[in-house]
Amino acid sequence: MSSDGNKKQFWKRNAAKVPGSIQHVYGAQHPPFDPLLHANLIKAGNKPPPATPGKPKKATTFQEFESITSDAWDVGDDDDELLAMAAQNLNIEVVMETANKVIENHSKQQERQRLDDATELDQREEDTQEEVAEDEEEDEEEEEDRVEEGDVTSPEVSFASQSSPYTDSRLVKSHSEAPIGSPKDAAGERAALHRQRSLPHRPPVIPLVARMADQNTSGTPAMTEREASRLDKFKQLLAGPNTDLEELRKLSWSGIPRQVRPIAWKLLSGYLPANAERRESVLQRKRQEYFGFIQQYYDSRNDEHHQDTYRQIFERILFIWAIRHPASGYVQGINDLVTPFFVVYVFEYIEEEVENFDVSSLQEEALRNIEADSFWCMSKLLDGIQDNYTFAQPGIQRKVKALEELVSRIDESVHRHMQQYEVEYLQFAFRWMNNLLMRELPLRCTIRLWDTYQAEPEGFSHFHLYVCAAFLVRWRKEILEERDFQGLMILLQNLPTMHWGNEEVSVLLAEAYRLKFAFADAPNHYKR
């Protein structure tokens, strides 16, 4: 490829679409070529370009391609030359005369517009002064009325009343940017302003974030008047020398305020006596007894020092319970039942949420008290449902069978739908009974649910069955929409309850109570 022939051979192109000479596009900047106007541009032997550009000459070598496109970057030269040649062919006198007429007409129009604007401005100023005077009189009368009624004008309305009727919503940087509206626009703005003043005052809308921040300042939402009244009733009841447990159950059925929930749970579970004088001595004795178990059974297995974290505390509680209940031992799921007690009793010592709290930052004495109280209350709970955790878990088997019979009576369509797609109750309801719905509900809802379980006779062992039945029927629409086994199982094991709160739990409990009232004392209602 050292010879010229080889170079030419190398740059040959077989493709037909090779760029050639750049042609002007007809339009505003490049008008159609006029041979009369551009006669001097037409050289001897050259022809004017056709009306429609034809195909460019095919370039066969790089040298030819370079020579064809050498004028590619000289875009502005042709335009200047065309304008210069066009000016030489025009009559200068005609051009000057036309220009003078245009300038003269423009000056006359500006003068007339200036006079009209001045007249309209004077008229608007007179109208504005009259309107302002009338508005001031109306404002004085309205202000007197508002003062008499105790109403206070909001800062936004006051600012609007002080602003000019011509003020735009944007910031005017200079007088030249100020909008000059017609009298109709000014009248419309004044009418709108008058309507705004006549409307009743509405409080400003508080952003959602601000409302949440205000409610959660102390870790709990702001109490309503009804909640404050209920809290006073609880405090009065608990302040007596002997707490009426039956009255405490009635109050607790609809939920227990957070401030008194720890002491209420200890009383309702049977951990503390009703007599106020004996409570402190019972607490000290039971706490010492629990840590005696720790020294006897747990510390002998673990000589090294352990930092108190959630895991170590729960491990000790579950280990001691399994040692003291050899018939069942530890069964998976019992660990969930410790959590509500632990969280409620932690609230005796902190104000913030437990999820973000470092338990090791608590004082040692407080942490020991929480651990011991959680153990004894969990033991009281499990004493009533221990057959759920013995060999083969017969208690759960019976409750799942009772749930199936109950649902077949209260909602036959749901029952038949699950039978149609071969969904067994044991496949989803076993966890409901084993964990007391803790895996199905948020922790806040579980705590509210347990308020009622503590107040209800045999709440964990008997009333829980009706809660599960009401819970299943609650999702009737979603269940009937699923048309296969897999979809039903995914739904029943992942029910959308993360947004639930006290209101949803209260409705669920009310429906469960209705079912209990209808079926508890009539066992034959289960059967067909």
Side-chain angles (χ1 to χ4, degrees):
M1 295 177 62
S2 58
S3 64
D4 295 339
N6 291 337
K7 287 183 180 180
K8 291 183 179 181
Q9 186 68 22
F10 175 76
W11 286 107
K12 283 188 176 181
R13 291 287 185 269
N14 296 324
K17 296 182 179 180
V18 178
S21 178
I22 297 178
Q23 302 292 335
H24 288 304
V25 179
Y26 293 161
Q29 294 183 351
H30 302 289
F33 194 90
D34 190 352
L36 298 178
L37 183 61
H38 305 127
N40 294 332
L41 291 177
I42 303 175
K43 299 180 181 179
N46 290 340
K47 296 181 180 180
T52 56
K55 292 185 179 180
K57 181 183 177 181
K58 186 183 298 185
T60 57
T61 63
F62 177 73
Q63 286 79 5
E64 294 178 3
F65 173 80
E66 185 179 11
S67 64
I68 292 173
T69 60
S70 60
D71 60 342
W73 306 109
D74 300 332
V75 178
D77 296 344
D78 291 344
D79 294 340
D80 297 338
E81 189 175 358
L82 288 171
L83 292 174
M85 296 305 300
Q88 290 179 5
N89 289 283
L90 292 176
N91 190 336
I92 300 301
E93 294 179 358
V94 175
V95 171
M96 293 301 295
E97 183 179 356
T98 304
N100 290 331
K101 288 181 180 180
V102 172
I103 293 173
E104 184 179 355
N105 291 335
H106 182 68
S107 300
K108 290 179 180 180
Q109 290 178 359
Q110 279 190 333
E111 186 65 24
R112 283 197 301 269
Q113 184 66 30
R114 193 178 301 110
L115 293 174
D116 293 341
D117 291 344
T119 303
E120 291 178 3
L121 184 59
D122 293 340
Q123 184 64 30
R124 280 202 301 272
E125 288 178 356
E126 293 176 1
D127 295 340
T128 302
Q129 291 175 359
E130 294 175 1
E131 291 290 339
V132 169
E134 294 176 1
D135 291 341
E136 288 177 356
E137 293 177 1
E138 293 177 0
D139 291 342
E140 290 176 1
E141 295 176 359
E142 292 176 1
E143 185 67 25
E144 292 174 359
D145 296 339
R146 282 195 294 269
V147 171
E148 292 175 0
E149 297 173 0
D151 190 12
V152 180
T153 306
S154 64
E156 292 81 4
V157 177
S158 299
F159 178 79
S161 64
Q162 295 172 2
S163 62
S164 170
Y166 306 110
T167 303
D168 197 358
S169 59
R170 61 187 176 89
L171 179 63
V172 179
K173 298 180 181 179
S174 63
H175 293 288
S176 62
E177 290 186 19
I180 301 177
S182 64
K184 293 182 180 180
D185 296 337
E189 292 179 1
R190 284 194 295 271
L193 181 62
H194 181 72
R195 286 195 301 271
Q196 181 182 5
R197 292 172 180 167
S198 63
L199 290 174
H201 170 61
R202 292 182 298 177
V205 178
I206 303 174
L208 179 61
V209 176
R211 290 202 300 271
M212 294 175 65
D214 293 341
Q215 291 177 356
N216 294 326
T217 301
S218 62
T220 56
M223 285 195 302
T224 62
E225 184 177 354
R226 179 178 178 275
E227 291 171 342
S229 175
R230 294 190 73 248
L231 179 59
D232 290 339
K233 290 181 180 180
F234 272 95
K235 288 182 177 179
Q236 291 175 6
L237 182 61
L238 296 171
N242 289 285
T243 302
D244 187 349
L245 295 182
E246 191 63 30
E247 186 66 22
L248 181 60
R249 288 191 181 94
K250 291 180 181 178
L251 283 176
S252 302
W253 207 98
S254 299
I256 304 174
R258 173 178 171 177
Q259 294 86 340
V260 296
R261 183 176 280 134
I263 182 68
W265 275 26
K266 292 173 185 177
L267 287 168
L268 293 172
S269 63
Y271 175 46
L272 284 184
N275 185 275
E277 295 180 355
R278 296 178 51 227
R279 290 174 190 168
E280 190 61 31
S281 61
V282 169
L283 277 176
Q284 291 181 1
R285 177 174 58 83
K286 300 295 285 185
R287 289 166 180 171
Q288 291 175 359
E289 184 178 355
Y290 170 73
F291 282 101
F293 296 149
I294 293 293
Q295 292 177 357
Q296 181 179 358
Y297 299 112
Y298 188 83
D299 288 346
S300 61
R301 300 172 58 255
N302 300 274
D303 296 332
E304 65 274 10
H305 176 71
H306 289 280
Q307 183 183 7
D308 284 333
T309 61
Y310 291 111
R311 179 168 181 170
Q312 271 83 41
I313 292 172
F314 279 41
E315 181 181 333
R316 287 197 294 264
I317 291 173
L318 297 171
F319 179 80
I320 297 302
W321 190 88
I323 289 291
R324 299 186 73 243
H325 298 81
S328 61
Y330 173 74
V331 177
Q332 187 175 6
I334 295 179
N335 58 310
D336 286 349
L337 307 183
V338 184
T339 306
F341 291 112
F342 187 85
V343 170
V344 168
Y345 297 150
V346 165
F347 282 144
E348 285 187 285
Y349 302 93
I350 67 172
E351 293 292 333
E352 58 187 289
E353 295 298 329
V354 178
E355 289 84 350
N356 303 321
F357 183 74
D358 182 9
V359 67
S360 61
S361 63
L362 280 173
Q363 295 181 358
E364 184 179 359
E365 182 181 0
L367 203 56
R368 287 168 62 90
N369 294 342
I370 293 170
E371 181 178 345
D373 295 347
S374 300
F375 168 79
W376 287 114
C377 289
M378 186 202 70
S379 298
K380 292 286 186 181
L381 185 159
L382 291 175
D383 286 346
I385 56 173
Q386 189 170 357
D387 60 345
N388 286 7
Y389 305 103
T390 54
F391 178 74
Q393 299 179 273
I396 293 180
Q397 302 278 353
R398 288 194 302 269
K399 289 172 184 172
V400 171
K401 183 64 177 176
L403 176 65
E404 182 176 359
E405 294 175 351
L406 181 59
V407 172
S408 67
R409 299 295 294 175
I410 63 178
D411 198 327
E412 186 176 1
S413 59
V414 170
H415 178 69
R416 289 186 178 276
H417 186 75
M418 289 196 290
Q419 280 186 331
Q420 178 183 355
Y421 295 102
E422 300 180 350
V423 175
E424 298 292 338
Y425 282 77
L426 198 63
Q427 294 171 328
F428 65 89
F430 181 88
R431 189 171 73 180
W432 295 11
M433 303 299 178
N434 189 58
N435 302 91
L436 299 178
L437 287 177
M438 283 197 61
R439 298 291 178 93
E440 323 308 320
L441 299 173
L443 181 59
R444 61 183 179 274
C445 296
T446 299
I447 292 174
R448 167 62 189 91
L449 188 68
W450 283 23
D451 287 345
T452 302
Y453 282 3
Q454 298 272 14
E456 183 74 20
E458 298 182 333
F460 293 97
S461 59
H462 186 63
F463 185 65
H464 180 66
L465 168 66
Y466 301 98
V467 173
C468 290
F471 186 66
L472 179 62
V473 177
R474 162 67 178 77
W475 307 102
R476 181 180 190 276
K477 178 177 178 292
E478 290 81 358
I479 290 173
L480 295 178
E481 288 177 352
E482 296 294 338
R483 297 295 179 179
D484 55 63
F485 174 84
Q486 183 178 2
L488 282 168
M489 289 304 301
I490 291 175
L491 171 66
L492 293 170
Q493 293 179 354
N494 300 277
L495 292 168
T497 60
M498 288 305 298
H499 68 284
W500 274 32
N502 288 345
E503 183 177 354
E504 288 80 5
V505 175
S506 298
V507 173
L508 178 68
L509 289 168
E511 177 63 18
Y513 185 82
R514 186 187 69 82
L515 295 176
K516 178 193 172 187
F517 185 81
F519 291 95
D521 297 328
N524 288 334
H525 286 184
Y526 289 130
K527 303 175 183 179
R528 295 184 178 278

